[in-house]
Every structure is written in structure tokens, then in C-alpha cells.
Amino acid sequence: MTEDTLLYDDELETLETVEPSKPARRRGPLGNPKFVFGLLAGAVVLLAVAVGAWFHYQGRISTDNAQVDGHIVPVASKIYGTVAEVLVNDNQLVKAGQVLVRIDSRDYQARADQAKAALDYAQSQARGANAGVPLTRDTTASGTSEAMAQVSAAQADLARAQAEFQRASTADVAAAQANVEAAQAQADRAAADLNRMRPLVDKEEISRLQFDSYVAAQRVAQSQLAASREKLQAARQDVNTRQAAILAAQARVQQATAGVQASRANQGQVNVRTAEASSAAAGIGQAKASLESAQLQLGYTVIVAPLDGMVTRKSVEVGQIVQQGQSLMTVVPLHDVWVTANYKETQLAGVVPGLKASVKLDLNGKEYEGHVDSIAGATGARLSLLPPENASGNFVKVVQRIPVKIVLNHIPQHALIRPGMNVEATIFTK
């Protein structure tokens, strides 16, 4: 055995023979009543805080994925022209109807004046056409009446000529023929008497004076016979004249009838004049439409604010030539803003329109009360420019977010709330 081993054994024996002393008992923190009380009090406080936090957040859902939204109203030119005046600056508050920009209106004023002159001309044409309708109607009506009167007169003349022809061809000729026959008889008797008296005068049985009377009677009878024959010839010629008068009367009747037909044909001019009046009235409507269009274009030279708001993104200057539809500036109505909060679909089980909401601005931490106005009809991913295609399925289900529109109950006049600002939105479901 070595020396070291012997020494170790001696020490063991010495330790076994010596009675060990009991060490002093240490008191831990749990043995301190104050520490235990404090620990219990802290536990109670933590439990109370936890219970309070649970009750506090039990009826509300929050998200910081929310922004202020609003109407962004672009102001554009409706016509081509040169900017004559710009009356607003960037970030300036304007009222609805306030003039923002004026475009040089001389060209459009000339067009409006030209359209007004065209309207005046169309109205004068219409007045002339309308006046011509009753004039043509009255003229054709009087012409027709006159022609019918001429027909009646011609027919009366024809009837009278026929009656006179009938009388001349019957009674007048017969009377003349009878007169000729009577005159012939008188002439024959006077000649016979003269022949009987001629031997007697030669024998001087009668006087020369008596004989001369028989000679004169015979001459008178011959003259009467010649006159009767001439009257008969005149009666026969009168018959021919009466027959020619009938033909002339018939021609006049035909002429008057043709005049009536022509007058009735002229009544078609009334329809023509009426059509011209209608065309002139249509011309007035066309001229009015052209004038209204020209005046509308003239009105477009004055660009006004469509609503109350703040001017921003002004991009127009005096002397600039603007095109139709070119954007000049944007008006943002600061009084009409709302919050679009993108909540997870798992948060919206109890959310309905009308629930109370609170909005906290990241700008200054101020909170504003509001209410849920509506819930979007689709998720934000579906409404994006390139919606995701999930026909093959998702390896990991992605929780979708649905936009919720929150309308603020009251917006202070000078509150700095602008579309696009970040906010934290909270909806109270209970």
C-alpha cells in the first residue's frame, strides 16, 4: 500500500469517530409572509387584468389593414382650346360651381352666333311657308268656285242656245215658210188679176187708173213674196247660227269644266305648301338643336368645380392648349370620406351593417366614432387586377380578407383626414 492510501484510510477513520454537527436550516422566500401576500396580490391583479382584457376584447374585432377612402373627382376639359385663365391653386378649397379654369371662347362664341343666325333664318322661312298655306288654300278654293260658276254659266248658255236653236229650226222657219207661201198666193192672185185686167184696159173697159192699181198690187205682192223668201232664208241662216252657238256654248262648258279640274288639281298645292311648312318647322328644330349644341360648347369654355372639396394635382397653366378629355386637376371632397377596413374572413361571423365602430388615425392617434355601412361583395383578392387561380387547389389555405366600409358619424371641420391615410379600425359586435 502506498503512503497516500494509508493517509486516506486514517482520515476516514477520524471522520467516522467524530460526530457531525447539524447544519443551520435556511428560510426561503415563501417563508416570508409579505412575499407570499405580494405574490398572491400580483396573481389576483393579473387574473383581474386577464379577465378584464377578455371581457374587453370579447365583443370587438380590430385590424390595422385599413385606410381612409374618398371620392377622387377628376376635372377634365370637354373641348379643345387654349387656356385663358386659371383661377385656383393646388390644395385650395373650392365650392361647387366655383370657376376653376376659363378657355378662350371666341371661336365657340362665333359658332353660337352663326347657329343663332341660322335659327332666325329658319324661323323666317317657316313663317313664310305657314303664311303661304292659307293663301294657297284660299286662292285655290276661290279659283275652284269661280270655275264652277263658269261651268254653270256655260251650261246655262248652252241650254239657252239649244232652246233658241230649237225655236229657230221649228217655229221661226215654219212661220217664214208660211209667210212665203202666203206671199206667193198674194203674188199669184195679183198677177192673175193683172192679166185679167190687161185685155180690159186695151178695150178701154176699165180706166187706166184702175189698171195701174192692179199693176201696183201685183208689184207689192211680188215685193212681199221676195221679202217673205228673204225672211225664210234668214230664218234658215239663223238656225245655222243657233247651231253654231250651241257648239260654242258646248265648248265653253268644256273649257269651264277643264277649269274646275285645273282648280281642283291646284288644291294639291295646299299639300305642297303644308309639306313645305312642316319642312320649315323641322328646319327650326334642327337650327335650335344646332344652337343648343353651340351654346353648350360655349358653356364648356368655363370649367367649374363639380362639388365642394380641395383642389389637388393641378396640371394646367395659362396659355396651355388642352385637348378634349384632358385631365386638368382633381377635386377631393374632404367632407365625404370613409374607411375601408380589410378584415379576415374569420373575423366577420357576427359583423352586420349598422354595428358601432371606432377608427384610430395613425397620424395622431385620435379616435373617431363610426358605424359599419356595408360589406364588400367579394374578397380583396377576387377584386384585384389579376385574381388568383385556385383550380389546382392550395397547398396551404390562405385566409382571405374582405373589405368592410365604415362611415364616420362626425368629421370635425379641421380634422386632418385624407384618403389613403392608414388607420386602425375596430368593430364592436356586442
Side-chain angles (χ1 to χ4, degrees):
M1 297 180 64
T2 63
E3 183 178 359
D4 294 334
T5 304
L6 293 174
L7 291 174
Y8 179 74
D9 292 337
D10 293 338
E11 290 175 359
L12 289 176
E13 291 176 0
T14 303
L15 291 172
E16 289 176 0
T17 58
V18 178
E19 183 179 358
S21 61
K22 293 182 180 180
R25 187 176 183 180
R26 295 182 180 179
R27 300 179 61 185
L30 294 178
N32 189 348
K34 293 183 178 181
F35 177 79
V36 174
F37 178 77
L39 183 62
L40 292 177
V44 171
V45 171
L46 289 177
L47 180 61
V49 171
V51 172
W54 186 83
F55 279 105
H56 178 74
Y57 290 102
Q58 177 66 21
R60 62 176 63 192
I61 56 175
S62 300
T63 181
D64 58 358
N65 188 356
Q67 298 82 31
V68 178
D69 273 339
H71 299 286
I72 307 298
V73 182
V75 177
S77 174
K78 293 185 177 181
I79 58 174
Y80 169 85
T82 303
V83 177
E85 192 175 4
V86 179
L87 303 175
V88 293
N89 296 315
D90 267 325
N91 303 327
Q92 177 181 338
L93 292 175
V94 295
K95 295 291 185 180
Q98 181 177 341
V99 178
L100 305 178
V101 178
R102 294 183 188 274
I103 298 176
D104 190 359
S105 62
R106 289 175 293 180
D107 292 341
Y108 297 98
Q109 182 64 54
R111 295 177 188 175
D113 294 340
Q114 184 178 5
K116 180 65 170 59
L119 175 60
D120 294 339
Y121 177 75
Q123 289 176 341
S124 65
Q125 291 289 99
R127 285 192 295 268
N130 290 328
V133 172
L135 178 61
T136 304
R137 183 184 295 113
D138 296 341
T139 301
T140 54
S142 65
T144 302
S145 300
E146 183 179 357
M148 294 180 66
Q150 291 177 355
V151 169
S152 299
Q155 289 175 346
D157 291 341
L158 176 61
R160 184 168 56 254
Q162 289 175 343
E164 290 178 353
F165 171 76
Q166 185 68 24
R167 179 180 57 80
S169 62
T170 55
D172 291 349
V173 172
Q177 184 67 37
N179 288 335
V180 169
E181 292 177 354
Q184 183 67 45
Q186 291 291 336
D188 291 343
R189 189 182 66 177
D193 291 344
L194 179 61
N195 291 329
R196 285 193 300 270
M197 293 299 143
R198 193 180 300 280
L200 294 178
V201 75
D202 292 339
K203 295 178 180 180
E204 295 183 352
E205 292 180 0
I206 61 173
S207 64
R208 175 59 67 176
L209 180 62
Q210 290 177 341
F211 180 75
D212 290 340
S213 63
Y214 282 104
V215 171
Q218 192 269 339
R219 291 179 178 174
V220 170
Q222 289 293 332
S223 298
Q224 290 178 349
L225 176 60
S228 297
R229 287 176 178 174
E230 290 179 354
K231 288 181 178 179
L232 177 60
Q233 186 65 26
R236 288 174 178 173
Q237 290 179 352
D238 186 59
V239 170
N240 295 332
T241 303
R242 299 300 181 184
Q243 187 175 8
I246 289 175
L247 297 177
Q250 289 176 345
R252 287 194 297 272
V253 169
Q254 293 177 354
Q255 183 179 4
T257 302
V260 171
Q261 293 177 352
S263 297
R264 289 177 177 174
N266 288 335
Q267 290 180 351
Q269 294 294 326
V270 176
N271 297 331
V272 174
R273 296 297 182 183
T274 303
E276 290 177 353
S278 300
S279 177
I284 290 178
Q286 183 178 3
K288 284 183 177 179
S290 298
L291 178 59
E292 290 176 357
S293 177
Q295 290 176 340
L296 189 62
Q297 294 291 320
L298 179 61
Y300 289 156
T301 60
V302 180
I303 301 175
V304 300
L307 40 71
D308 295 348
M310 176 178 288
V311 174
T312 185
R313 295 181 63 184
K314 183 177 75 70
S315 60
V316 60
E317 299 295 339
V318 176
Q320 179 180 349
I321 297 178
V322 295
Q323 304 292 331
Q324 184 178 7
Q326 179 178 342
S327 179
L328 305 180
M329 62 188 69
T330 301
V331 177
V332 180
L334 302 181
H335 63 282
D336 188 10
V337 295
W338 62 91
V339 171
T340 301
N342 299 298
Y343 281 96
K344 296 179 182 179
E345 56 185 331
T346 56
Q347 295 178 293
L348 300 179
V351 176
V352 294
L355 290 179
K356 181 181 177 182
S358 175
V359 174
K360 181 180 180 182
L361 298 181
D362 288 359
L363 173 69
N364 49 21
K366 290 186 178 180
E367 294 188 4
Y368 298 93
E369 293 183 354
H371 62 276
V372 177
D373 179 79
S374 58
I375 301 174
T379 65
R382 179 58 59 183
L383 296 175
S384 63
L385 181 61
L386 297 175
E389 179 60 52
N390 294 328
S392 60
N394 291 324
F395 181 74
V396 177
K397 180 182 288 187
V398 178
V399 178
Q400 300 295 317
R401 291 185 177 268
I402 300 178
V404 178
K405 182 178 180 180
I406 298 175
V407 176
L408 302 179
N409 296 335
H410 174 69
I411 301 176
Q413 183 176 1
H414 299 289
L416 188 60
I417 302 178
R418 300 290 186 267
M421 294 176 60
N422 291 321
V423 298
E424 182 180 346
T426 301
I427 298 175
F428 300 95
T429 58
K430 293 184 180 180

